[in-house]
Amino acid sequence: MLSQALHEGWGLRMNKHILIVGGGYVGLYTALRLQRKLHRELRSGEARITIIDPQSYMTYQPFLPEAAAGNLSPRHMVAPLRRILPKAHILNGTVTKVNHAERVVTFQPAEGEPRQVAYDVIVMAAGSISRTLPIPGLTDIGIGFKTVGEAIALRNRVLHLLDVAESTDDPELRRRALTFVVVGAGFAGVEALAELEDMAKHSTRYYRNIEPADLRWVLVEATTRVLPEVGPEMGKWTLEQLRERGIDVKLDTRLESCEGGHVVLSDGSEFDAETLVWTAGVKPSPVVNDGDLPLDERGRIKGTTTLTVAGTTDAFSAGDAAGVPDVTNPGQYCAPNAQHAVRQAKVLADNIVRHLRGQELVEYRHKYVGSVAGLGLHQGVANVYGVKLRGFPAWFMHRTYHLSRVPTLNRKVRVVVDWTLALFFKRETISLGEMEHPRDGFRAAVATTRR
Ligand SMILES: Cc1cc2nc3c(=O)[nH]c(=O)nc-3n(C[C@H](O)[C@H](O)[C@H](O)COP(=O)(O)OP(=O)(O)OC[C@H]3O[C@@H](n4cnc5c(N)ncnc54)[C@H](O)[C@@H]3O)c2cc1C
């Protein structure tokens, strides 16, 4: 009945092409809901959905630290877009320009020439990238922590550096290899550091010459607190916990330079490190700058409470790329996190359907409920609906919550299997870094032949 009404109400607005830029949290969940709500229109060809993303999968980012620690297979923390969204057309590549006046984007496919893709309704869901600063040496040695590639490369790197330290007789090289720096003590930085440190410490049992105390982990934070997402009390507890574990947490300190791996901090300390992870904030994906959609003072798509793009028609945006006013906290914007992204996607999809039917749009309203964070195996911190947990209960809550959130039953089962196997068998502690350079061996063989 509802579907029939929608169908009839839509009579004048046929063949709508909904284009979603970005297949992450917002893109995937918006498309999933549209797929359900518009199933009849999608079948009859009255509506079409296209998603453009460089990847053919959505990354469940809160699982990146667990993948880096080897508790989860990287394949199980991503959701394959084509399998989950059979009614949508997935194009792999990037949108490089949005011309909303003409209702067309420039699409750069993974291979080949760019082309124009026309649309009727656009959803800007391109998320964010690392916010960096012009710090000498940062582009040479720094690595972010936002993608599966970065998480797995970091895991391989940490384990490879343990191999290096075990095998060298140069004390300087050894010290440098065993020094790991993370800049930024928000969610991504603290979880990445805590999981990697836990994994590295565990791995030392397989090395003859490396003791846990030989590892040096430094967390550099420009403000005076860590993990603001869990509130001041739990943030303070996290700080103490990290320090008890021997992690050198430097608050109110900035990275000044890291040229050639020589780290200089604003508190005057200097040391060498082979690894520097940069997690000091995010900024909107650069595509938001390349087009005619309005931006707010922080360079995000200027959003509204109904998740449209301010001052436009047929344009919607949400997630990390958009500045969405928080109606539960007047004068503030919704924070860039998955908690908002998933809920915004639901309202956004419903508002697209309402928009196409000529109905009034509804406001996005969600009061931030707090957060959970994993700090290594069996360790965590949580502050959800005012309930504060630490240690094992928080870690258990962290896992249960994220298991309930990771998309599709298929992924949930695979994640549980990974965790269960990790309970009964020891962690994998080998570096497969050569996977990042698969042709090196072959090249060396060719060079030998030439000689
Ligand atoms: C390590 C880590 C841990 C986190 N933990 C939590 C947590 O515990 N709880 C929580 O609430 N939040 C957490 N977050 C934050 C959360 O993951 C993000 O807020 C959320 O992913 C934002 O969703 P989004 O759809 O806006 O962006 P994303 O999920 O990042 O998706 C954006 C998509 O757009 C694509 N894209 C970018 N540019 C283009 C372009 N030009 N053309 C086409 N496609 C493009 C990208 O490839 C990507 O797939 C964490 C983040 C990280 C990095």
Side-chain angles (χ1 to χ4, degrees):
M1 192 65 192
L2 179 70
S3 172
Q4 181 67 26
L6 175 64
H7 186 61
E8 283 166 5
W10 203 329
L12 295 172
R13 301 156 181 262
M14 302 267 275
N15 302 318
K16 293 292 180 184
H17 182 205
I18 302 163
L19 176 67
I20 303 179
V21 182
Y25 268 91
V26 172
L28 171 72
Y29 283 101
T30 300
L32 266 176
R33 197 159 173 95
L34 286 174
Q35 200 174 250
R36 240 191 10 254
K37 293 224 149 186
L38 299 180
H39 66 99
R40 181 172 173 158
E41 288 71 23
L42 289 166
R43 215 176 36 226
S44 67
E46 284 171 273
R48 283 188 296 138
I49 302 172
T50 301
I51 299 184
I52 298 181
D53 197 294
Q55 269 84 40
S56 54
Y57 53 80
M58 173 263 197
T59 303
Y60 190 81
Q61 290 177 9
F63 274 155
L64 286 174
E66 290 234 31
N71 302 331
L72 272 186
S73 159
R75 274 190 300 279
H76 300 161
M77 54 158 296
V78 299
L81 296 176
R82 288 190 177 87
R83 195 194 298 171
I84 300 176
L85 299 167
K87 307 249 168 58
H89 185 200
I90 314 295
L91 293 176
N92 291 122
T94 51
V95 167
T96 54
K97 190 168 181 156
V98 179
N99 181 348
H100 190 60
E102 304 282 334
R103 304 291 192 269
V104 74
V105 298
T106 307
F107 166 57
Q108 173 62 63
E111 300 268 340
E113 294 298 308
R115 65 174 193 268
Q116 308 287 301
V117 176
Y119 62 84
D120 297 293
V121 173
I122 191 167
V123 179
M124 288 298 285
S128 56
I129 59 169
S130 301
R131 178 190 296 281
T132 56
L133 296 168
I135 292 171
L138 185 58
T139 41
D140 300 329
I141 74 150
I143 180 168
F145 198 75
K146 272 197 72 67
T147 64
V148 181
E150 287 170 335
I152 301 308
L154 256 172
R155 169 184 169 73
N156 286 330
R157 184 170 184 79
V158 170
L159 291 169
H160 168 70
L161 288 169
L162 294 186
D163 297 346
V164 169
E166 173 88 342
S167 314
T168 183
D169 54 8
D170 176 346
E172 276 307 310
L173 175 60
R174 179 183 151 88
R175 205 170 9 254
R176 186 183 161 106
L178 296 180
T179 303
F180 308 93
V181 182
V182 176
V183 183
F187 245 129
V190 169
E191 286 196 300
L193 177 138
E195 292 283 0
L196 285 166
E197 187 265 351
D198 191 47
M199 187 251 324
K201 199 156 61 193
H202 170 90
S203 305
T204 56
R205 68 183 65 181
Y206 305 111
Y207 293 83
R208 290 202 175 179
N209 302 325
I210 307 176
E211 295 297 320
D214 296 333
L215 305 173
R216 183 177 182 201
W217 289 84
V218 185
L219 178 60
V220 181
E221 167 57 43
T223 71
T224 52
R225 33 194 298 212
V226 306
L227 218 53
E229 293 87 346
V230 293
E233 190 190 331
M234 289 290 103
K236 192 162 167 283
W237 178 82
T238 307
L239 175 63
E240 286 160 13
Q241 221 264 342
L242 295 176
R243 284 186 168 151
E244 265 170 36
R245 280 163 63 169
I247 295 162
D248 186 1
V249 186
K250 290 175 177 290
L251 298 181
D252 207 6
T253 306
R254 290 176 317 282
L255 174 69
E256 305 257 291
S257 74
C258 51
E259 279 173 302
H262 184 67
V263 176
V264 180
L265 303 179
S266 62
D267 66 355
S269 51
E270 295 189 25
F271 52 89
D272 289 338
E274 278 287 321
T275 311
L276 188 139
V277 190
W278 180 269
T279 59
V282 294
K283 65 179 180 188
S285 168
V287 65
V288 306
N289 299 313
D290 297 319
D292 55 359
L293 292 174
L295 303 183
D296 69 10
E297 65 287 354
R298 290 196 221 163
R300 300 167 300 194
I301 301 261
K302 195 170 166 59
T304 67
T305 54
T306 53
L307 305 175
T308 58
V309 177
T312 67
T313 52
D314 306 326
F316 294 78
S317 189
D320 287 9
V324 177
D326 183 352
V327 294
T328 69
N329 203 354
Q332 301 297 313
Y333 290 98
C334 298
N337 59 42
Q339 198 180 120
H340 281 300
V342 173
R343 289 170 174 85
Q344 286 173 346
K346 186 166 163 254
V347 176
L348 195 158
D350 289 352
N351 275 347
I352 290 179
V353 175
R354 286 195 179 92
H355 170 64
L356 294 172
R357 294 169 71 184
Q359 295 176 342
E360 204 177 318
L361 308 190
V362 296
E363 282 194 328
Y364 170 72
R365 173 182 293 271
H366 170 68
K367 199 163 173 49
Y368 189 63
V369 298
S371 291
V372 285
L375 300 176
L377 207 55
H378 304 156
Q379 304 168 74
V381 60
N383 184 352
V384 181
Y385 292 112
V387 179
K388 295 167 184 146
L389 297 173
R390 55 193 80 177
F392 184 83
W395 172 81
F396 188 73
M397 184 185 211
H398 158 79
R399 281 207 161 174
T400 319
Y401 172 77
H402 285 301
L403 184 65
S404 73
R405 290 284 154 182
V406 72
T408 81
L409 180 65
N410 180 306
R411 261 38 195 175
K412 290 185 207 301
V413 172
R414 287 172 191 269
V415 166
V416 171
V417 170
D418 281 353
W419 284 343
T420 312
L421 287 175
L423 266 183
F424 294 107
F425 300 98
K426 288 185 179 138
R427 280 188 210 222
E428 290 296 346
T429 55
I430 36 156
S431 162
L432 288 180
E434 73 271 18
M435 284 172 73
E436 290 155 34
H437 312 281
R439 298 187 60 225
D440 284 1
F442 186 68
R443 279 207 196 99
V446 172
T448 319
T449 313
R450 275 202 206 112
R451 270 210 300 277

